[in-house]
């Protein structure tokens, strides 16, 4: 529920409750004043205004009221019950209750219409033209299956006209060219293709357009790693689909997509290269080889050729080289892809250390030592330090999940990310020698019920010599490490600071101590 809807519901509640209270009180008051009251016999002459007390009269035959002279034998002259009703009070009560009821009904109609209007979760209820209009404003990944079903339905329905069929292909194209929607449709397009193949109104141009959307319309080249001086092998990825983890999951496709790298230039000079096609939709893995790189910025140009051809022309071995391509193809494209490639002298030139005192204070509070042990590994003593950082999820994450539903893990990580990347290492001094424990960086995100973020780091150190049997506690200094992230293109800053953990107990598995815990950790193996 959005903030506007919540405010609307609060106002509605206040109005309804207030109106009901006023209306009920008015009705109770009116009921009391308008109750039936038993009274002594009175004269109702002069249209009820007389009121002469008739007590003591045994009979009213041939008698008249001594006050007004009205014949007491006339019907309804002698009154024994007096009604007292305040009509204005009753009218006010009706108005007081009608307002809240009307307000409730109006708001209910609005909210019902909004809840039952086109949304990501209910698009399957609506005709294709409504779905197309909705997706032009709201491209929601969670609606991928519903969208595909609606598009497939337009192809299966024999009463659909050519415009509906064209719209179905147009909507599928919109989705396949959106990164998140295409990711969800990876394994959900086979029913649509099967319906298209069996529909006489589907033209060759429509199918070619669909396959171009499926295999990717816009080829692009991007570095797979950060490049440093003396690197003799650099990987460049050529991608065609909007998302990086596309699968070849389409089983009913009648065409094959192939890509060929015709040449690569570095600042206009031809360079040696190797490449392999990573599936039909994941593009090409390209390695620039030869002489070592020097510091500077390089302009990289990659000449590619892409084709779509009939699946029946695919060689029997299931893969083909450029020489195996048939002469007749469904579609062909030749293109030059360009990218800028900076080459760094050292990791310090690419990734900056940031001393954030606020973040350091948070780490000092949040990071705790889960375990520390020494064990024998490959004939050496391995020292292992397991750290865990736990913190509350920011309120924004909870609010977004309430509004948008479950978020993809990568979106959660971006939302709760620290100001700079935290990649921990530990320094320890043993017998006067300083060592560094390095390891992996892992972060797990929990959802609404467990509103916490956990980051687990396992740091390791292999010692050349055996650890002194007398060592039972060690002091560690936690700091930042950027060397492990030197090739990561997404990391520009890494936290650097100092967090101390003193008197950490060391379990001596290498000496056979804590043997039960060690065996449990190793799955029962000795």
């Amino acid at each position: 529920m959005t903030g506007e809807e919540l405010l609307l519901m609060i106002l509605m509640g206040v109005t309804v409750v207030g109106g009901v209270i006023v209306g009920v009180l008015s009705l109770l008051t009116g009921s009391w004043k308008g109750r039936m009251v038993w009274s002594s016999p009175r004269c109702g002459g002069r249209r009820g205004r007389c009121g002469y007390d008739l007590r003591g009269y045994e009979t009213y035959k041939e008698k008249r009221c001594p006050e007004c002279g009205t014949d007491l034998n006339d019907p309804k002259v002698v009154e024994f019950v007096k009604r007292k009703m305040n009509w204005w009070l009753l009218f006010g009560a009706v108005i007081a209750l009608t307002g809240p009821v009307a307000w409730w009904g109006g708001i209910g109609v609005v909210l019902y219409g909004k809840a039952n209007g086109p949304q990501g979760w209910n698009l399957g209820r609506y005709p294709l033209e409504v779905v197309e209009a909705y997706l032009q404003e709201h491209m929601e990944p969670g609606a991928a299956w519903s969208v595909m079903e609606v598009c497939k339905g337009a192809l299966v329905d024999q009463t659909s006209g050519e415009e509906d069929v064209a719209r179905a292909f147009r909507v599928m194209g919109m989705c396949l060219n959106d990164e998140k929607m295409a990711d969800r449709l990876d394994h959900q397009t086979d029913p649509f293709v099967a319906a298209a193949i069996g529909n006489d109104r589907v033209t060759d141009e429509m199918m070619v357009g669909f396959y171009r959307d499926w295999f990717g319309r816009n080829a692009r080249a991007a570095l797979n790693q950060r490049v440093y001086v003396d690197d003799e092998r650099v990987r460049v990825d050529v991608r065609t689909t909007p998302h990086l983890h596309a699968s070849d999951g389409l089983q009913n496709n009648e065409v094959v997509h192939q890509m060929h790298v015709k040449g690569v230039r570095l600042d206009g000079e031809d360079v040696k290269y190797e490449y392999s096609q990573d599936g039909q939709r994941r593009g090409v893995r390209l390695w620039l080889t030869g002489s070592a790189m020097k510091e500077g910025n390089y302009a990289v140009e990659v000449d590619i050729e892409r084709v779509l051809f009939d699946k029946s022309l695919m060689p029997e071995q299931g893969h083909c080289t450029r020489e195996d391509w048939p002469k007749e193809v469904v579609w062909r494209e030749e293109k030059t892809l360009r990218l800028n490639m900076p080459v760094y002298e050292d990791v310090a030139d690419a990734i900056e250390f940031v001393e954030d005192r606020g973040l350091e204070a948070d780490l000092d509070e949040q990071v705790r030592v889960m375990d520390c042990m020494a064990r024998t590994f490959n004939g050496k003593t391995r020292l292992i330090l397991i750290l865990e950082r736990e913190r509350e999820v920011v309120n924004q994450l909870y609010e977004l999940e309430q509004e948008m539903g479950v978020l993809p893990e990568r979106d959660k990580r971006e939302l709760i990310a620290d100001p700079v990347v935290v990649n921990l290492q530990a320094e320890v001094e043993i017998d006067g020698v300083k060592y560094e424990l390095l390891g992996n960086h892992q972060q797990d995100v929990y959802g609404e019920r467990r509103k916490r973020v956990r980051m687990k780091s396992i740091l390791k150190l292999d010692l050349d010599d055996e650890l002194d049997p007398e060592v039972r506690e060690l002091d560690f200094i936690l700091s930042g490490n950027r060397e492990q992230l030197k090739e990561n293109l997404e990391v520009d800053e890494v936290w650097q600071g100092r967090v101390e953990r003193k008197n950490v107990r060391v379990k001596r598995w290498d000496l056979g101590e804590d043997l039960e815990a060690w065996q449990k950790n190793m799955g029962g193996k000795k």
Side-chain angles (χ1 to χ4, degrees), residues 371-373 382-387 423-430 434-440 458-463 474-479 481 484:
D371 215 343
C372 182
M373 69 285 294
R382 170 168 287 185
L383 185 62
I384 302 174
L385 179 67
I386 302 178
L387 305 171
N423 188 51
L424 297 177
Q425 68 175 28
E427 181 182 292
V428 63
E429 184 173 331
I430 303 174
K434 292 183 178 181
Y435 300 93
E436 289 182 347
L437 284 78
L438 307 177
N440 64 319
I458 302 177
L459 309 180
K460 302 175 182 178
L461 167 66
D462 289 333
L463 299 170
L474 290 172
D475 297 336
F476 294 93
I477 299 175
L478 307 181
S479 58
N481 180 289
Q484 292 176 299

Side-chain angles (χ1 to χ4, degrees), residues 277-296:
Q277 183 159 338
D278 186 17
Q280 292 193 46
R281 295 184 68 225
R282 287 187 288 270
V284 162
R285 296 179 180 179
L286 173 66
W287 287 272
L288 309 185
T289 62
S291 58
M293 298 292 176
K294 296 181 180 180
E295 185 179 10

Side-chain angles (χ1 to χ4, degrees), residues 251-438:
Q251 299 177 359
N252 292 315
N253 58 305
E254 296 180 313
V255 300
V256 174
H257 173 249
Q258 291 289 303
M259 185 185 302
H260 168 64
V261 178
K262 300 172 63 177
V264 180
R265 294 177 298 280
L266 206 63
D267 282 347
E269 299 291 332
D270 291 337
V271 296
K272 296 180 180 180
Y273 62 93
E274 302 170 1
Y275 79 93
S276 64
Q277 183 159 338
D278 186 17
Q280 292 193 46
R281 295 184 68 225
R282 287 187 288 270
V284 162
R285 296 179 180 179
L286 173 66
W287 287 272
L288 309 185
T289 62
S291 58
M293 298 292 176
K294 296 181 180 180
E295 185 179 10
N297 284 292
Y298 295 85
V300 181
E301 296 177 301
V302 182
D303 298 328
I304 65 166
E305 184 180 11
R306 301 171 61 197
V307 293
L308 295 175
F309 59 83
D310 193 283
K311 190 176 183 178
S312 62
L313 301 178
M314 186 73 174
E316 294 182 359
Q317 65 269 25
H319 65 274
C320 62
T321 63
R322 175 63 182 84
E323 289 73 23
D324 297 323
W325 289 6
K327 293 183 179 179
E328 295 183 3
V329 298
V330 175
W331 170 79
R332 180 191 301 271
E333 177 188 56
E334 294 186 17
K335 191 174 184 180
T336 298
L337 309 178
R338 296 176 175 83
L339 72 149
N340 180 59
M341 183 177 70
V343 178
Y344 301 94
E345 179 72 27
D346 184 75
V347 64
D349 299 325
I351 301 177
E352 180 183 358
F353 268 143
V354 177
E355 296 185 5
D356 189 324
R357 298 303 179 190
L359 181 54
E360 181 176 311
D362 290 341
L363 292 173
D364 190 26
E365 177 184 353
Q366 297 164 358
V367 175
R368 62 191 180 110
V369 176
M370 297 293 295
D371 215 343
C372 182
M373 69 285 294
R375 56 164 297 195
T376 302
F377 184 79
N378 290 338
K380 294 185 177 182
T381 300
R382 170 168 287 185
L383 185 62
I384 302 174
L385 179 67
I386 302 178
L387 305 171
E388 185 177 75
R389 177 189 178 195
E390 184 174 315
R391 59 196 175 102
E392 297 291 335
V393 173
V394 290
N395 292 332
Q396 187 180 2
L397 174 60
Y398 175 75
E399 293 174 358
L400 280 177
E401 289 213 329
Q402 292 297 304
E403 181 177 346
M404 302 172 58
V406 178
L407 296 174
E409 291 299 310
R410 61 173 176 264
D411 292 349
K412 291 183 181 180
R413 287 194 293 270
E414 291 177 2
L415 182 63
I416 64 174
D418 291 307
V420 294
V421 173
V422 176
N423 188 51
L424 297 177
Q425 68 175 28
E427 181 182 292
V428 63
E429 184 173 331
I430 303 174
D431 296 333
V433 181
K434 292 183 178 181
Y435 300 93
E436 289 182 347
L437 284 78
L438 307 177

Side-chain angles (χ1 to χ4, degrees), residues 480-493:
N481 180 289
R482 61 185 174 188
E483 187 68 27
Q484 292 176 299
L485 306 174
K486 62 181 297 184
E487 294 185 354
N488 193 323
L489 292 167
E490 298 181 356
V491 178
D492 297 316
E493 296 179 333

Side-chain angles (χ1 to χ4, degrees), residues 12-28 93 95-101 104:
M12 179 183 68
V14 171
T15 305
V16 169
V17 172
V20 168
I21 291 175
V22 172
V24 170
L25 289 177
S26 300
L27 285 177
L28 290 175
I95 295 298
L97 288 174
T98 301
V101 171
W104 178 275

Side-chain angles (χ1 to χ4, degrees), residues 117 131 145 201 285 466:
V131 174
W145 178 257
R201 289 159 294 176
R285 296 179 180 179
E466 293 184 356

